[in-house]
Amino acid sequence: MSRKETKGGIKQLSPIDVYMLLPKTNCKECGEDNCMAFATKVVNREISIDQCSPLLTKENEKNYNKLKEMLKPAVKEVTIGVGDSAVNVGGKLVMYRHEFTYTNPTAIAIDVSDEMSDDEVLAKVKKTQDFTYLYIGNNLNLQMIAIRSTSNDTEKFKRTVKKVAENTKLPIILCSLDSAVLESGLMAIPKARPLIHAATQDNWKEMAELALMYNCPLVVSAPNDISLLRTLVKTLNAYGVEDLILDPGTFTSSGLGDTINNFTMIRRAACIMGDELLGYPIMGTPIVAWTESTNSQTVNAWKEAYVASMLVTRYADLLVMHGTEGWALLPLTVLRQNIYTDPRKPVAVEAGLRTIGTPDENSPVLMTSNFALTYYTVAQDIESSGTNAYLLVVDSEGTAIDSGVAGRKLTAETVSDAIKESNLDKKVKHRKLIIPGKAARISGEIEELSNWQVLVGTRDSSGIPKFLQDNWK
Ligand code: SF4
């Protein structure tokens, strides 16, 4: 059965569709109370059907296969690389983020070429793999190295690929339209499962042979021609190549409209129209911004960054970029993080008592909510004050202070309970709690319930250092 056989688009799965194919014995082997509860979790992608062990038996094989097919994502998931550092791209279930959480954040690859010196290559590889930024408890990183053959020389390419592979575990993309050059690169890393770029209408057969021989995913390239892209996919599928990534071309300046349109049409065809031939991850190449004739590296980096940002919001599963400037990559990776965060769940940290520095019995106790963004901002502002302190993180169900107070998620009761549970009375001699200015309206109630004196702090956490300086002697 195809996942797309409905007329008006892809059929929405309901728990009952899944339930009908389960063993329906309510045996609880999966850890759920009954088969319907399991089916509901399967539809929400919270659990895999493989956790129903009775379903894995020979007699249920047919139903298992039917379920696998039903649950197949609209966009195929493709793995690049091997082992712990392998990266999955695609695997999208839906077109719009509000319908369901996006899986597999857009992977970002930084390029090197076989005409760069060894030192230049190694410096860029190091910069790529060392790029990291802690944002709301998540490390933002770059995922891959793209090695371009600009020399078209097989030996040079092979040498560069070997050098890169010896110095990084990041998955690799090999880029050349010449199959002989690409094969020389593959011979340097025959078991690394790099992504190879790219099969075109002129070289598809040679590239298909390489993809099959080395068990590699393959990029299909048809700039600004979705119809040709589709034909090439059909041909490659018939040849036996299944792990494909689509490159419809990336154009900057006047071609930007076409680029966005092509990306959107491809994803729409896969997720709404059920076109399996376009149900593959999409690759964007903002790196093309550097081929335009501007003499300013800054302008090139800026163009590359805005094209990349647009493509992250418009269905790109993989981007190849050239610049490594933090001012360009940091906003891009933050944007990616925001788009790939589950919109159904507030971004929360665990509630409880945190220590900042080495607090003692005279140290101040501050309070905040467990909304991740608030927590990390407050913790950083206390740290920057240089004061050793306790930070009481109250469970507000992941809401910020003002909305938590307004929505009764952050109440005098929850604060008072948090004080008791954290045993603060045994850690400090005083009984003073500094609460955010935005929670001022519950200060009286907190005092009544907890018997702690409440000091109302600043509305914005950036004022914490000065507040502590002025009020905590
Ligand atoms: Fe139902 Fe399978 Fe879970 Fe048993 S293990 S309760 S059969 S879903």
Side-chain angles (χ1 to χ4, degrees):
M1 178 181 81
S2 159
R3 69 180 186 264
K4 334 273 169 115
E5 281 172 359
T6 56
K7 281 183 183 160
I10 297 171
K11 185 173 178 287
Q12 294 289 316
L13 265 190
S14 79
I16 202 77
D17 298 327
V18 174
Y19 174 80
M20 295 309 288
L21 294 168
L22 291 174
K24 300 191 274 290
T25 58
N26 299 329
C27 69
K28 301 189 183 179
E29 274 184 47
C30 56
E32 299 304 318
D33 284 343
N34 50 53
C35 295
M36 189 49 119
F38 182 84
T40 305
K41 285 200 171 175
V42 167
V43 170
N44 286 331
R45 312 280 163 167
E46 291 165 12
I47 204 167
S48 155
I49 54 167
D50 290 359
Q51 289 181 39
C52 169
S53 37
L55 188 63
L56 307 180
T57 56
K58 191 79 192 147
E59 63 183 294
N60 286 316
E61 192 179 353
K62 216 166 145 195
N63 282 1
Y64 174 82
N65 290 336
K66 275 188 193 171
L67 278 167
K68 270 270 174 218
E69 186 66 29
M70 275 167 62
L71 293 162
K72 195 161 77 171
V75 176
K76 188 175 168 52
E77 184 174 77
V78 174
T79 303
I80 303 167
V82 288
D84 292 345
S85 54
V87 172
N88 291 329
V89 294
K92 304 290 191 293
L93 296 155
V94 291
M95 178 144 183
Y96 300 111
R97 177 181 174 267
H98 63 261
E99 295 174 282
F100 206 87
T101 315
Y102 278 173
T103 49
N104 299 332
T106 312
I108 299 174
I110 301 294
D111 85 309
V112 293
S113 84
D114 61 359
E115 288 185 299
M116 289 164 70
S117 71
D118 283 359
D119 286 349
E120 286 173 320
V121 168
L122 294 184
K124 205 165 180 194
V125 168
K126 184 167 179 350
K127 201 164 182 186
T128 304
Q129 66 181 10
D130 288 354
F131 179 92
T132 186
Y133 180 75
L134 185 66
Y135 174 70
I136 322 183
N138 294 291
N139 276 316
L140 307 182
N141 296 311
L142 305 172
Q143 283 66 43
M144 293 183 211
I145 303 288
I147 309 173
R148 295 184 300 125
S149 170
T150 49
S151 68
N152 223 25
D153 178 318
T154 52
E155 280 312 306
K156 268 192 182 168
F157 192 57
K158 188 175 182 177
R159 201 176 155 279
T160 307
V161 173
K162 201 159 178 281
K163 177 81 41 200
V164 171
E166 283 167 358
N167 286 278
T168 184
K169 285 196 159 39
L170 293 181
I172 288 172
I173 307 175
L174 301 178
C175 311
S176 172
L177 297 181
D178 184 324
S179 60
V181 172
L182 266 191
E183 181 156 25
S184 69
L186 284 166
M187 281 156 66
I189 46 168
K191 305 246 182 286
R193 196 176 157 81
L195 174 64
I196 52 181
H197 183 285
T200 64
Q201 63 178 334
D202 300 322
N203 69 6
W204 67 266
K205 200 164 183 183
E206 294 90 333
M207 293 295 177
E209 297 285 358
L210 289 179
L212 292 173
M213 197 185 317
Y214 290 90
N215 185 28
C216 292
L218 174 64
V219 179
V220 191
S221 168
N224 212 10
D225 191 341
I226 295 179
S227 167
L228 174 59
L229 200 59
R230 217 174 159 276
T231 307
L232 282 168
V233 169
K234 194 170 184 181
T235 310
L236 287 161
N237 280 170
Y239 208 77
V241 187
E242 294 290 339
D243 285 344
L244 299 172
I245 289 181
L246 311 178
D247 179 1
T250 299
F251 312 95
T252 58
S253 306
S254 58
L256 203 50
D258 280 345
T259 308
I260 299 296
N261 194 40
N262 288 337
F263 275 60
T264 307
M265 295 313 286
I266 289 173
R267 190 49 47 91
R268 189 178 167 75
C271 294
I272 309 285
M273 309 308 291
D275 186 342
E276 294 200 14
L277 292 176
L278 294 177
Y280 289 95
I282 315 177
M283 169 192 262
T285 52
I287 188 174
V288 296
W290 293 81
T291 61
E292 292 186 350
S293 56
T294 99
N295 293 323
S296 164
Q297 301 248 327
T298 309
V299 171
N300 290 343
W302 170 72
K303 269 192 173 182
E304 182 181 52
Y306 78 64
V307 172
S309 305
M310 292 174 92
L311 294 182
V312 164
T313 60
R314 278 289 176 267
Y315 316 113
D317 298 288
L318 170 62
L319 294 175
V320 178
M321 300 183 66
H322 177 72
T324 53
E325 295 299 330
W327 62 260
L329 291 172
L330 190 55
L332 178 65
T333 49
V334 168
L335 172 71
R336 177 183 64 179
Q337 178 68 25
N338 289 340
I339 288 173
Y340 282 80
T341 303
D342 189 342
R344 297 169 303 170
K345 292 185 195 150
V347 193
V349 296
E350 208 175 314
L353 188 66
R354 307 284 205 287
T355 54
I356 309 241
T358 49
D360 60 24
E361 57 193 16
N362 296 311
S363 297
V365 180
L366 295 97
M367 181 275 277
T368 190
S369 78
N370 76 328
F371 174 46
L373 192 56
T374 305
Y375 164 73
Y376 284 105
T377 312
V378 171
Q380 263 172 17
D381 286 329
I382 300 173
E383 251 177 68
S384 69
S385 75
T387 308
N388 297 313
Y390 288 103
L391 178 58
L392 183 65
V393 182
V394 179
D395 186 357
S396 60
E397 297 180 30
T399 54
I401 299 288
D402 38 5
S403 44
V405 171
R408 301 286 300 156
K409 307 279 186 202
L410 184 71
T411 63
E413 286 81 8
T414 55
V415 176
S416 170
D417 289 348
I419 292 173
K420 277 183 211 135
E421 281 159 23
S422 61
N423 290 324
L424 262 169
D425 52 354
K426 296 191 180 66
K427 294 182 194 296
V428 291
K429 279 202 300 197
H430 62 82
R431 295 289 178 267
K432 289 179 183 168
L433 178 71
I434 303 168
I435 67 168
K438 287 179 180 170
R441 76 163 96 150
I442 56 171
S443 59
E445 277 180 85
I446 296 174
E447 286 193 338
E448 264 175 45
L449 284 173
S450 66
N451 286 325
W452 279 54
Q453 182 191 343
V454 170
L455 306 180
V456 177
T458 53
R459 286 181 66 77
D460 190 298
S461 69
S462 61
I464 288 176
K466 183 159 187 333
F467 180 88
L468 290 176
Q469 203 182 4
D470 295 345
N471 295 283
W472 198 266
K473 306 295 179 200

